[in-house]
Amino acid sequence: MPPDRQNDLHEVHTESGVMVAMRDGVRLSCDVYLPAKTGIPLDGTFPVLLQRTPYGKTRKDLVLEALFFTSHGYATVLQDCRARYESEGEFTKYTDEGEDGYDTMAWLAQQRWHGGKVGTYGLSYSAHTQAAAACLNPPNLGCMWLDSGGFSNAFLNACRNGGAFELRQLTWAYKEAVESREAYADPVVRTAIRSQNIFDWFKRLPWKKGHSPLQWTPDYEDYLLDIWARENFNDYWKQIGLCAEEYYDVFSDVPQVHMSAWYDPYSRTATDNYVALAGMKKGPVTLLMGPWTHGQRAVTHSGNVDLGGSAIIDNNLAEDFNHLRLRFFDRWLKEVDNGLEDDPPVKLFVMGGGSGRKNFQQRLDHGGQWRSEQEWPLARALNTSFYLQPNGGLAAEHPQGPNPPDEYLFDPERPVPTIGGNISSGEPVMAAGGFDQRESEEFFGAEQTFLPLGARPDVLVFQTTPLEGDVEVTGPVTVQLWISSSAVDTDFTAKLIDVYPPSTDYAEGYALNLTDGILRVKFRNSWERTELMTPGEVYNVEVGMLPISNRFLKGHRIRLDISSSNFPRFDVNGNTGENPGTSPARVTALNSVYHDENRASHVLLPVVPNP
């Protein structure tokens, strides 16, 4: 498209605090941005853009987006979600967003400036609100840009994960309670909440009703403790707002972008939604996967790893993110013939290929590049088994002989600390992205010896010999383990790592985390019902990991770490069979991983052949 010309842009008129009634009478507050001239809204109708947010519709970045789109000829509406900021009602996370979104679009259809179709957009929770509304198929929904959210299944990804609970839900609840209506209305409540030391509270889990950092905001405490206690997949988790896959048949068939990133907690949500909906809908349905942490599409680094100047959207995929989305909305809401539908349906960033040096910001130069694809997962990727070997090896050869298992003691009072990963809203307790897998003072729970995680006796390390050539791994990753335990239940965690060789900048090398996963073993056969183990009996289990795209360079090693905790990313299993969200009981477990010729534990990597 030709560059914007200032004379083509509209002025913007804003109507603030417009109250819109939902079906139950609760009113939600909207700010309406309309194209204008000399301060007066223009006559006529316009395509409409809607963002529904719990983070405050007057937040500067959201306002700037609205001004941008409105200046380009859209009526843009920002709405505070139920019970947030200027909106009425009681707070219930996720589960009211379907009906509230549908009702808001019905109200939009009645406005004089409504041009017939509504496009939705927004990051994270604002993507959840879009998917929730789409499950009800609003008649005037025209297209969607879901950025890092829109739960495919919150039980399996980003709320619970492999049966464990993602503790970023705790940090999110605490931070939003600080910004809650109750906190703003009562200075005593505000002072009490803000005075809490969240690090101390993470040392005292599980939280109890009336005895948590959320006790002054009962709505937030109730929803968190309720969702933490629900450890089985049931009708609760199948609700609109939590499980789009239950509603794929009726999910809106409109043009839609599912966007996420390799260090984002919603990478599986985006790819799962894309795979299912691209096969069912005319759409078109497209997928965009970057290398960022949650929402950080304009910075080149993820954690302590730099992906290079090409990693960001700005001046790579478009002038900037607003213009990237503008092209999408112009095509599907204004019917501008800009060739968008001719673009390949999948755009992804393949990480790796950098110099491996330390850049001027003291980050590892990991590098990478964008690539277009026709499908996901990639048809040409070969699912390749890398088998766990005796003495910490990892190889394509099937293990031979009756090798003894590797054993370790898993003490829930001394969990393996989280060092990066697919995290959002975890600050200040946990950090997202890629890091050298070494304990340091910046990571909660790290021990002051500050040694590599691989040196811990409760972390099993399996790695290849130095690679003889580059190996690209792009797609979903799974681990098949044969395990046993002295306990009736325990967790097994897996982490895929790109091991850099020693260099001038990194004399001990650099162990870069790429993706991870967890399985609470009592869910090995079903998410609906639990089955405790018989101590000492051997079981075959699968640990699912989040999708990834990474090029392991010649001389690097592919490494798989196996353990039984990753805290505070996930809640810690007490090994008793009880839910650690409701029970503080904990016992130490002796856990074993088998890698003999009859029980060949392995990681399944989607290897893309070199061109």
Side-chain angles (χ1 to χ4, degrees):
M1 293 183 65
D4 294 326
R5 292 174 298 182
Q6 190 65 35
N7 291 339
D8 294 335
L9 302 181
H10 295 283
E11 296 177 16
V12 178
H13 172 82
T14 306
E15 299 175 10
S16 301
V18 179
M19 302 302 288
V20 178
M22 302 294 102
R23 64 189 64 187
D24 61 356
V26 169
R27 299 183 307 159
L28 306 187
S29 182
C30 298
D31 290 348
V32 179
Y33 298 78
L34 298 173
K37 185 174 182 180
T38 63
I40 300 174
L42 296 176
D43 291 331
T45 61
F46 306 93
V48 179
L49 295 179
L50 170 67
Q51 178 169 189
R52 305 186 58 251
T53 177
Y55 301 121
K57 57 184 170 56
T58 59
R59 202 175 75 181
K60 183 178 179 180
D61 59 323
L62 304 186
V63 171
L64 290 175
E65 285 180 331
L67 292 172
F68 172 84
F69 289 125
T70 307
S71 71
H72 285 80
Y74 291 87
T76 308
V77 178
L78 302 182
Q79 183 183 72
D80 286 332
C81 289
R82 180 176 291 247
R84 297 293 292 169
Y85 295 90
E86 297 177 7
S87 288
E88 300 172 350
E90 296 181 355
F91 180 73
T92 54
K93 193 177 184 185
Y94 305 131
T95 54
D96 284 319
E97 305 306 344
E99 291 184 350
D100 286 353
Y102 186 100
D103 292 352
T104 299
M105 280 189 256
W107 174 81
L108 290 172
Q110 299 171 357
Q111 305 311 299
R112 61 166 182 79
W113 35 261
H114 178 265
K117 290 294 182 182
V118 177
T120 59
Y121 70 101
L123 166 72
S124 193
Y125 199 101
S126 293
H128 298 328
T129 67
Q130 296 179 66
C135 290
L136 294 173
N137 195 18
N140 57 333
L141 178 61
C143 59
M144 300 183 289
W145 190 294
L146 299 98
D147 181 1
S148 306
F151 288 124
S152 55
N153 185 327
F155 182 88
L156 296 180
N157 173 229
C159 200
R160 301 199 78 90
N161 191 321
F165 190 69
E166 297 200 6
L167 294 180
R168 66 189 188 88
Q169 292 286 337
L170 276 64
T171 46
W172 188 96
Y174 174 71
K175 287 188 286 188
E176 297 311 314
V178 170
E179 299 294 323
S180 67
R181 199 168 49 202
E182 294 90 338
Y184 278 103
D186 187 337
V188 174
V189 169
R190 183 166 63 252
T191 299
I193 297 175
R194 291 183 175 179
S195 67
Q196 301 306 301
N197 185 318
I198 192 64
F199 295 99
D200 289 343
W201 281 106
F202 263 73
K203 298 173 184 176
R204 189 161 291 177
L205 299 178
W207 294 348
K208 300 185 295 184
K209 183 172 176 57
H211 301 279
S212 81
L214 305 175
Q215 60 189 278
W216 299 275
T217 52
D219 285 357
Y220 292 78
E221 186 179 61
D222 288 347
Y223 107 76
L224 177 67
L225 297 183
D226 179 62
I227 201 170
W228 198 357
R230 295 179 182 272
E231 66 169 356
N232 295 85
F233 186 62
N234 53 28
D235 287 344
Y236 173 86
W237 292 102
K238 297 177 183 179
Q239 293 181 89
I240 288 175
L242 290 171
C243 195
E245 66 183 26
E246 287 286 320
Y247 305 90
Y248 282 155
D249 286 346
V250 296
F251 198 90
S252 294
D253 190 353
V254 298
Q256 52 197 275
V257 176
H258 296 269
M259 172 178 169
S260 184
W262 304 129
Y263 285 111
D264 180 60
Y266 300 104
S267 56
R268 178 175 174 181
T269 275
T271 53
D272 281 0
N273 280 338
Y274 170 76
V275 168
L277 295 169
M280 299 173 64
K281 310 295 182 182
K282 296 178 181 178
V285 182
T286 56
L287 177 68
L288 174 60
M289 297 297 296
W292 322 291
T293 57
H294 189 63
Q296 298 302 303
R297 65 191 86 83
V299 296
T300 65
H301 65 273
S302 294
N304 192 44
V305 175
D306 198 279
L307 290 311
S310 64
I312 61 176
I313 285 178
D314 298 4
N315 299 315
N316 289 301
L317 302 188
E319 179 180 337
D320 55 32
F321 188 42
N322 280 344
H323 283 86
L324 183 68
R325 291 178 294 177
L326 181 65
R327 182 181 178 222
F328 173 79
F329 292 131
D330 281 351
R331 176 66 189 93
W332 302 117
L333 297 179
K334 291 185 176 181
E335 299 184 356
V336 174
D337 185 9
N338 55 22
L340 181 67
E341 63 269 38
D342 297 327
D343 290 351
V346 176
K347 177 79 75 172
L348 57 85
F349 190 89
V350 183
M351 301 190 296
S355 69
R357 300 296 303 273
K358 188 179 292 185
N359 68 10
F360 71 96
Q361 295 176 319
Q362 303 301 297
R363 294 190 176 98
L364 173 72
D365 175 22
H366 189 54
Q369 61 183 1
W370 288 100
R371 193 170 70 208
S372 296
E373 297 287 352
Q374 293 299 323
E375 76 282 313
W376 176 274
L378 306 188
R380 67 184 184 280
L382 304 175
N383 285 326
T384 305
S385 295
F386 285 76
Y387 294 94
L388 281 58
Q389 306 285 343
N391 302 312
L394 186 68
E397 292 76 28
H398 196 282
Q400 301 297 315
N403 307 311
D406 286 326
E407 298 179 333
Y408 59 92
L409 283 174
F410 164 41
D411 180 359
E413 300 293 346
R414 189 173 168 261
V416 177
T418 297
I419 300 180
N422 299 65
I423 299 164
S424 67
S425 303
E427 300 84 0
V429 181
M430 52 194 112
F435 294 89
D436 191 10
Q437 294 300 288
R438 173 184 293 271
E439 298 186 63
S440 71
E441 60 186 4
E442 66 182 296
F443 299 111
F444 179 77
E447 298 184 349
Q448 291 191 359
T449 50
F450 298 149
L451 294 175
L453 282 188
R456 288 179 59 114
D458 57 351
V459 176
L460 304 181
V461 176
F462 301 91
Q463 60 185 357
T464 64
T465 57
L467 298 174
E468 296 180 358
D470 294 358
V471 175
E472 180 189 326
V473 173
T474 295
V477 178
T478 58
V479 180
Q480 292 286 335
L481 295 178
W482 273 258
I483 58 91
S484 65
S485 177
S486 64
V488 296
D489 184 40
T490 194
D491 289 351
F492 281 90
T493 62
K495 186 183 296 179
L496 185 66
I497 294 171
D498 186 345
V499 180
Y500 276 75
S503 66
T504 302
D505 288 339
Y506 299 100
E508 298 180 56
Y510 195 105
L512 170 61
N513 59 299
L514 298 173
T515 182
D516 60 40
I518 189 169
L519 177 70
R520 190 147 291 166
V521 180
K522 66 182 179 181
F523 293 107
R524 64 194 177 277
N525 293 322
S526 171
W527 303 119
E528 288 82 6
R529 58 186 178 85
T530 60
E531 296 179 49
L532 298 181
M533 294 185 290
T534 299
E537 186 170 327
V538 179
Y539 299 91
N540 176 216
V541 301
E542 179 176 292
V543 182
M545 304 171 79
L546 296 176
I548 194 63
S549 182
N550 185 73
R551 182 177 296 278
F552 296 82
L553 294 185
K554 178 182 178 180
H556 289 212
R557 297 173 188 257
I558 300 173
R559 174 172 140 186
L560 180 71
D561 284 3
I562 302 296
S563 190
S564 290
S565 55
N566 183 355
F567 175 78
R569 175 149 156 65
F570 304 114
D571 61 352
V572 179
N573 195 332
N575 300 322
T576 64
E578 299 180 72
N579 181 356
T582 57
S583 171
R586 294 179 171 185
V587 298
T588 298
L590 177 64
N591 291 341
S592 301
V593 176
Y594 296 79
H595 42 72
D596 55 56
E597 60 184 354
N598 295 318
R599 295 169 294 196
S601 297
H602 60 275
V603 58
L604 196 63
L605 299 179
V607 176
V608 178
N610 291 322

